Amino acid sequence: MPLTVTPLTPVFCAEITGVDITKPLDDATFAKIRSAFDNHSILIFPDQPMNDAQQIAFSERFGQIERSGGVNPGAGTSFSRQSNIDIKTGAVIPKDDRRMFYQKANMLWHADSTFKPVTSLCSILSAREIPPVGGATEFASTRAAYEELSDAEKAELEGLIVEHDFIYSRGLVGFTFTPEETAKFPPVRHRLVRTNKNTGRKSVLVGAHAKCIVGWPEDRSRALLDGLLACAEKPENSFRHEWRDGDVVVWDNQAAVHRATPYDTERYRRVMERTTITFGGAPEFPVGTRTAARA
Ligand code: OGA
Ligand code: MN
């Protein structure tokens, strides 16, 4: 069967069949996958159960894999793990454990690694164990949010710089950090408007980590960032993926945001392994000092 790209909505998301991504891919095949990624932002590959080595090999076709850091259980490896299972003991992590609390932040719309000096091109999440109900992942198109703007609004956005801040976003869900931890995550700056180099289509870098527009008063800044996210979230610009065993999903961290949804973490097991591909190159701006939140 030839590689087939089936769009799932008129705006974004496509299912890819007729290819085995657990095996090495020739350049012509990968070019079709990359082109589908640039055009549809989210690619869903059903029935591709993979191990770590296979996921790394597939991921490296997109670029360099980030080393995960911070508070994720996969810190220091090529993987970020979304799971309620303690990988060392195999036991379910209690609900009130700090590690589960951290995962709650995943339920805010976000793009991965926007709080890093160099953002991410895409993430690849493979379903290793899924709960029978719940635990879907939702996606929203920040490309659609940009494209729905008027020409005047697009012009206004063009030069804007957005500050992303991990300490700020985790604060939204009540997470507190030690001064040592805080020092590890200084705020970073990125251009708000992103351009896909292969399609020329533009999007905006918003989501939970986006704290403010540099130089704007807090209320105007918040209204812009919230308005863009609200547009991305509209039913026609978003998509909910219910995981099946062995699904692999690739999402664009420049053109979309995503969020986790709840499941019964004390009853069911969920193990998802994520690789994250860096956008590459130098940071867009030097890592600066934290912009105080203004009333
Ligand atoms: C992630 C993420 C959502 C989920 O892996 O970056 O946000 O549903 N996952 O696990
Ligand atoms: Mn994420």
Side-chain angles (χ1 to χ4, degrees):
M1 201 174 72
L3 187 149
T4 306
V5 179
T6 309
L8 296 174
T9 88
V11 171
F12 75 147
C13 298
E15 186 170 83
I16 312 290
T17 52
V19 61
D20 183 350
I21 60 169
T22 70
K23 302 237 161 68
L25 299 171
D26 61 52
D27 290 346
T29 303
F30 184 72
K32 288 183 190 154
I33 293 175
R34 175 66 207 229
S35 164
F37 167 78
D38 288 320
N39 286 302
H40 300 283
S41 306
I42 317 293
L43 302 182
I44 295 168
F45 297 85
D47 197 21
Q48 305 274 352
M50 50 173 61
N51 60 31
D52 289 359
Q54 289 167 323
Q55 183 164 347
I56 286 174
F58 176 63
S59 301
E60 282 177 337
R61 298 305 302 257
F62 286 89
Q64 198 189 331
I65 302 175
E66 282 180 4
R67 218 125 272 274
S68 37
V71 284
N72 190 280
T77 73
S78 296
F79 290 92
S80 291
R81 185 177 311 117
Q82 315 302 347
S83 183
N84 60 331
I85 304 302
D86 184 321
I87 216 75
K88 287 208 186 87
T89 65
V92 166
I93 303 171
K95 227 185 186 150
D96 49 6
D97 189 286
R98 196 178 195 241
R99 288 169 291 176
M100 290 312 291
F101 195 63
Y102 166 71
Q103 289 191 28
K104 291 220 169 87
N106 260 353
M107 295 184 190
L108 302 175
W109 288 112
H110 67 281
D112 298 325
S113 296
T114 63
F115 57 85
K116 295 184 181 174
V118 176
T119 57
S120 158
L121 173 68
C122 63
S123 296
I124 296 131
L125 193 63
S126 70
R128 306 294 178 90
E129 278 189 71
I130 54 163
V133 284
T137 306
E138 296 183 331
F139 299 95
S141 177
T142 59
R143 183 176 72 187
Y146 177 84
E147 290 178 349
E148 284 189 20
L149 297 171
S150 68
D151 287 347
E153 288 167 326
K154 285 178 182 163
E156 189 186 23
L157 256 55
E158 202 54 43
L160 298 182
I161 298 166
V162 57
E163 188 168 293
H164 286 245
D165 186 339
F166 185 74
I167 302 299
Y168 159 76
S169 64
R170 289 308 180 259
L172 296 175
V173 288
F175 215 73
T176 52
F177 292 92
T178 63
E180 294 73 42
E181 287 171 326
T182 304
K184 275 199 240 160
F185 299 103
V188 298
R189 292 176 178 194
H190 304 295
R191 271 174 281 276
L192 176 63
V193 177
R194 324 299 295 177
T195 307
N196 180 303
K197 69 174 178 6
N198 296 326
T199 63
R201 292 178 74 177
K202 294 184 177 183
S203 55
V204 284
L205 198 68
V206 293
H209 308 301
K211 180 178 157 192
C212 60
I213 301 294
V214 174
W216 277 28
E218 179 63 17
D219 51 353
R220 186 171 171 220
S221 174
R222 198 68 265 152
L224 175 66
L225 295 171
D226 289 350
L228 290 168
L229 198 56
C231 183
E233 262 184 77
K234 289 192 296 185
E236 64 271 31
N237 294 335
S238 59
F239 181 80
R240 179 180 174 91
H241 179 60
E242 304 282 355
W243 293 88
R244 299 150 298 190
D245 250 339
D247 275 352
V248 173
V249 177
V250 181
W251 61 73
D252 188 331
N253 280 316
Q254 302 283 313
V257 287
H258 60 277
R259 68 176 176 190
T261 65
Y263 64 101
D264 188 338
T265 61
E266 299 201 293
R267 192 149 161 218
Y268 302 126
R269 295 168 61 92
R270 186 175 191 262
V271 183
M272 316 289 280
E273 294 284 1
R274 189 185 96 204
T275 38
T276 315
I277 308 304
T278 180
F279 197 77
E284 290 165 66
F285 299 96
V287 178
T289 47
R290 181 163 277 110
T291 298
R294 276 184 280 165

